Every structure is written in C-alpha cells, then in structure tokens.
Amino acid sequence: MSSIWSKTMQAGGKWSGTVSRGRLLRFTALEAGANLSLLLYNAKDLTERYNMPDTLKAQYTSHLTKGNVLMSDNGRSLASIVEDQLGWHDTISGYTSREATDAKYGKTAYQELRNEWLRSGQENFAVELVRNGLGVRDLVPVVNLFSKVFCDEQGSMHFSPEHCRAGAAVTIRTDMDVLLVLSNTPNPLDPGSEYPSVPVHFEVLEADAAAEDDYCLNYRPENRRAYENTQEYYLLQGL
C-alpha cells in the first residue's frame, strides 16, 4: 500500500496536524532506542481527547499493543493499534520537562545552540497545542511509542533500554478525525546520560473500514462499545 504522505522526525522534533478517520499512521524507528510521544484530540471538538485512565482500565492493561484502542474521555475510539512489532508501548511515564532535561543532559539554550539545543516534551507539546488553539492546560498523559516501562511488585517503575530495535514499526488506524500531536523527545525514565538521537519515520496511508471481524473491535467488549459510540457520533451528523 502506497503512502499518502510521509516525513522523518529528527531527535527533538515536534509536529501536529489533522488526520481524517480511515487512515493508517505507521511509525518506524530508524535506529534502536526510539521514543515518540503522542497525543490525540477530536479534530471537530478539541475538548474531547485521549483519556489514559479509561483506555487502560477498560482494556485491563497498563501498556498498549495490537488490539488496543485509544479511547476518548467521551468513551469513543479515537484510534486503534492494528499492527505492532514490539508488543509494548508506554502509557504511564509521561513526557520530559525543561528542568528534568537540563538536570539530566546539561543545560542548553536556543540562543546559543539554535536548532541543536535539547528540547523537552513539555515545551514541544506546549508549542504545538498553542498552534492549534489549545494550551498547556490541555496537556494530558501521553502514549510513548517504542518504549517499555513496567512496575515491579513494590510499585517502582522501570525502563527497558533494549526494548526498541532499529526498524521496529507500529501502525495506528484513525477511527475519528483527529488532531495528532507528536514529540520526538526522550522517555523521562530513559537511564542514558546522552540525549537520545533517534529519528522516526512517519507515514499516512489509506485504511480499510473496520469489518465485523476486526481484531481491535473484538479485542474486548469495551472496545466494541467504544466503536459503537464513535459510529453513533458520525451517524447523527449524517457522516
């Protein structure tokens, strides 16, 4: 299947844009150790956005992989993971801040290093949200594609450095028209002392509509309800 559009996001890069429903978003780590933070909003009503607690509790999981849907705070399916070569994408560790980035990798400033300065996830998201009529108060927990973070029996969180290999890909289907916001910045729990420099290739492709035997639709009963809520949303708009 040929891509409609593609770009490569370099380390520290950010991007946002509206993607219509019925598209495939394919992300590929061009080197080992990638982390791409992702946010989703209903493009027609930006007050509706990805809801991490509902997504996880409805699907009895703390991470995302093939079959999982990204649910909104209105109980709709914003998007679904239809292919995944890693089996685990982090939902619980969040994004980097300016203070944490300076403390871990050394203080840098745009005025001195221009585009080589070390960006944080918080700043990247803030810029892209403002561009789309939102603000910092609209920041919610992100999905960190390509990263594995797990908790031990004492509740401590651990990052798996060897999880993401070069060439690993994950494909997400848009079930609604979405505002997609991306930040190619380090996972906050990455133990490395050097700022990761891993480009991620991003493609948009056509997707087939979810059939009755769709894997994500049938992954859990809660997923089917989320799909039905999405279908109702568009049906009542005559779409």
Side-chain angles (χ1 to χ4, degrees), residues 126-235:
V127 170
E128 294 304 315
L129 290 175
V130 168
R131 284 176 174 170
N132 290 280
L134 298 170
V136 175
R137 70 177 185 175
D138 297 294
L139 267 171
V140 295
V142 300
V143 177
N144 286 313
L145 299 178
F146 305 110
S147 286
K148 180 177 181 177
V149 173
F150 63 95
C151 295
D152 60 26
E153 294 183 358
Q154 287 71 47
S156 298
M157 297 167 63
H158 300 276
F159 179 85
S160 299
E162 307 302 321
H163 177 63
C164 177
R165 64 186 182 278
V170 56
T171 303
I172 299 173
R173 180 183 61 214
T174 56
D175 300 320
M176 297 183 69
D177 299 332
V178 296
L179 170 63
L180 173 67
V181 189
L182 303 171
S183 178
N184 189 5
T185 40
N187 188 288
L189 299 183
D190 187 331
S193 58
E194 296 293 325
Y195 190 90
S197 180
V198 181
V200 174
H201 191 59
F202 168 35
E203 300 172 85
V204 179
L205 308 97
E206 292 281 2
D208 295 329
E212 186 61 27
D213 63 348
D214 183 81
Y215 185 76
C216 299
L217 173 66
N218 294 289
Y219 193 74
R220 287 204 55 80
E222 292 82 359
N223 292 19
R224 179 173 288 274
R225 286 196 287 273
Y227 275 99
E228 290 172 350
N229 290 340
T230 298
Q231 290 173 342
E232 178 185 78
Y233 175 76
Y234 284 105
L235 179 63

Side-chain angles (χ1 to χ4, degrees), residues 34-165:
N35 183 83
L36 184 67
S37 300
L38 174 152
L39 288 173
L40 287 175
Y41 301 79
N42 177 351
K44 302 295 178 60
D45 178 2
L46 295 176
T47 63
E48 181 179 8
R49 65 280 311 270
Y50 164 68
N51 186 294
M52 180 264 274
D54 286 354
T55 295
L56 300 186
K57 71 182 181 183
Q59 298 175 91
Y60 293 83
T61 186
S62 64
H63 63 275
L64 299 179
T65 185
K66 181 179 177 179
N68 290 134
V69 303
L70 282 68
M71 298 181 185
S72 78
D73 44 15
N74 284 342
R76 302 185 182 112
S77 174
L78 289 164
S80 310
I81 301 179
V82 296
E83 295 293 341
D84 181 18
Q85 296 179 357
L86 288 174
W88 192 302
H89 300 274
D90 166 47
T91 61
I92 59 178
S93 64
Y95 43 81
T96 52
S97 65
R98 176 76 269 150
E99 295 77 14
T101 301
D102 289 346
K104 190 170 189 178
Y105 305 112
K107 190 171 184 179
T108 61
Y110 174 79
Q111 289 80 358
E112 299 172 359
L113 299 177
R114 297 306 187 205
N115 288 333
E116 299 304 313
W117 78 298
L118 305 184
R119 297 167 174 84
S120 73
Q122 185 180 38
E123 290 165 315
N124 276 357
F125 282 127
V127 170
E128 294 304 315
L129 290 175
V130 168
R131 284 176 174 170
N132 290 280
L134 298 170
V136 175
R137 70 177 185 175
D138 297 294
L139 267 171
V140 295
V142 300
V143 177
N144 286 313
L145 299 178
F146 305 110
S147 286
K148 180 177 181 177
V149 173
F150 63 95
C151 295
D152 60 26
E153 294 183 358
Q154 287 71 47
S156 298
M157 297 167 63
H158 300 276
F159 179 85
S160 299
E162 307 302 321
H163 177 63
C164 177
R165 64 186 182 278

Side-chain angles (χ1 to χ4, degrees), residues 24-39:
L24 296 178
L25 313 176
R26 183 164 63 199
F27 302 95
T28 304
L30 299 184
E31 300 172 18
N35 183 83
L36 184 67
S37 300
L38 174 152
L39 288 173

